[in-house]
Amino acid sequence: DENVGKTAEKGKSNFVGPEIEGKKLGVIGLGAIGVLVANAANKLGMEVYGYDPYMSVDAAWNLSRYVNHVTNIDDLYRQCDFITIHVPLNDGTKNFINKDSFDKMKDGVKLLNFARGGLVDEDALLVALDDNKVESYVTDFPSLKVIQNDKVIAIPHLGASTEESEENCAVKAAQELMDYLTYGNISNSVNLPNAKMDMNSPFRITCIHENKPKMISQITDIFKDANIENLMNKSKKDIAYTIIDLDSEVDISPIEKINGMIPFSTVI
């Protein structure tokens, strides 16, 4: 209406909240995204605590020295005003945030989940919200179970909703495909393990095979007359991937033996 300015001012009470400067933020999962979040929050004046028992060397180098790295997640739960989770969803992390987790958190904690919906036990979450243990839950993975609660802030999944990110995703996919076709390296595959090895030899053979005992010895035995300069084997559930670098070319017969023993093989 013609009093839109005054109307907007009256409505601002709907958006009252705490300042984040000086508050404690707990970041669960210090991978590529978790490190960015921790560093950004630190620059905004928050006291940041990070937890990740599997943090990579690269992540450690990129993490601000002002971020407190905790080795016991209970310490993070007990201290932090805000908690954000950045871990993958798998059998080991399903319902990672559960009743036991909520019981250890500060009263009135704000929980943010922009990773995966299944990381939070929604039944336990609703109880924690009703008991005021959790003041608010912010997520871009809403469900019918939690969306009716007034303390749940649900937003669309916006991680790639910019022109720049769409282009970056396309470029990244092309680069990873080129790396596989050229060197046999695998990055961010859904079904195959990540496997990346520098190629310092003139010849490389890669094999996709079952993840079971004695497979590597069967493969390397085929090349007993060649000099294996480097070897890598990675697995993901029932599938394994082996990279073998040789200093000399081999004839087709070892490849045929691999194909006879293993349904899938790639020769580069």
Side-chain angles (χ1 to χ4, degrees):
D1 55 33
E2 65 275 7
N3 296 315
V4 61
K6 291 183 178 181
T7 304
E9 282 296 305
K10 290 180 180 179
K12 70 182 182 183
S13 60
N14 295 322
F15 304 97
V16 173
E19 294 188 8
I20 62 174
E21 184 176 4
K23 299 299 192 300
K24 295 180 179 180
L25 171 69
V27 182
I28 301 174
L30 294 170
I33 301 301
V35 166
L36 290 174
V37 172
N39 291 346
N42 176 258
K43 292 178 180 178
L44 290 171
M46 302 190 79
E47 186 176 339
V48 184
Y49 294 80
Y51 172 80
D52 191 333
Y54 309 107
M55 185 167 60
S56 69
V57 174
D58 287 341
W61 276 109
N62 292 324
L63 187 66
S64 169
R65 62 190 178 94
Y66 297 107
V67 173
N68 302 288
H69 186 209
V70 299
T71 56
N72 187 338
I73 196 170
D74 291 352
D75 294 334
L76 183 150
Y77 288 149
R78 185 174 59 254
Q79 299 183 71
C80 293
D81 306 295
F82 295 81
I83 295 175
T84 178
I85 184 167
H86 300 278
V87 299
L89 178 62
N90 52 45
D91 292 339
T93 60
K94 185 177 181 180
N95 293 333
F96 186 89
I97 304 294
N98 49 46
K99 181 183 183 301
D100 182 59
S101 308
F102 290 125
D103 288 343
K104 296 173 182 176
M105 294 179 187
K106 293 178 63 175
D107 291 342
V109 67
K110 292 87 174 170
L111 179 63
L112 298 87
N113 176 18
F114 304 113
R116 289 291 184 270
L119 296 171
V120 178
D121 182 337
E122 293 186 338
D123 291 326
L125 170 67
L126 290 174
V127 173
L129 289 168
D130 290 340
D131 292 343
N132 295 319
K133 169 63 75 170
V134 177
E135 184 172 309
S136 59
Y137 176 59
V138 188
T139 183
D140 54 3
F141 292 97
S143 71
L144 289 175
K145 181 174 288 188
V146 302
I147 195 65
Q148 303 301 325
N149 194 298
D150 291 339
K151 295 181 179 179
V152 174
I153 301 172
I155 64 175
H157 195 61
L158 296 171
S161 296
T162 66
E163 294 180 5
E164 292 86 353
S165 64
E166 292 287 347
E167 182 175 343
N168 289 337
C169 288
V171 171
K172 186 69 173 178
Q175 289 173 338
E176 291 175 353
L177 187 58
M178 288 173 61
D179 195 26
Y180 174 73
L181 294 173
T182 307
Y183 300 107
N185 293 321
I186 296 177
S187 301
N188 302 318
S189 171
V190 174
N191 300 311
L192 295 172
N194 286 332
K196 190 177 184 70
M197 187 169 74
D198 292 337
M199 186 171 179
N200 299 314
S201 302
F203 301 98
R204 169 168 289 186
I205 292 175
T206 68
C207 304
I208 302 171
H209 56 87
E210 292 179 280
N211 182 25
K212 63 182 184 181
K214 299 182 180 180
M215 290 298 294
I216 298 177
S217 61
Q218 292 183 65
I219 296 171
T220 55
D221 187 61
I222 293 174
F223 299 99
K224 58 185 177 181
D225 296 327
N227 183 34
I228 298 177
E229 291 198 345
N230 212 349
L231 183 147
M232 171 184 283
N233 176 265
K234 298 289 184 179
S235 62
K236 188 172 186 178
K237 295 184 179 180
D238 296 331
I239 299 177
Y241 187 67
T242 298
I243 302 175
I244 301 173
D245 283 354
L246 306 170
D247 65 353
S248 59
E249 189 173 6
V250 296
D251 60 33
I252 197 65
S253 57
I255 310 304
E256 291 176 340
K257 289 181 180 179
I258 291 179
N259 287 330
M261 181 178 68
I262 306 169
F264 308 100
S265 64
T266 303
V267 181
I268 299 176

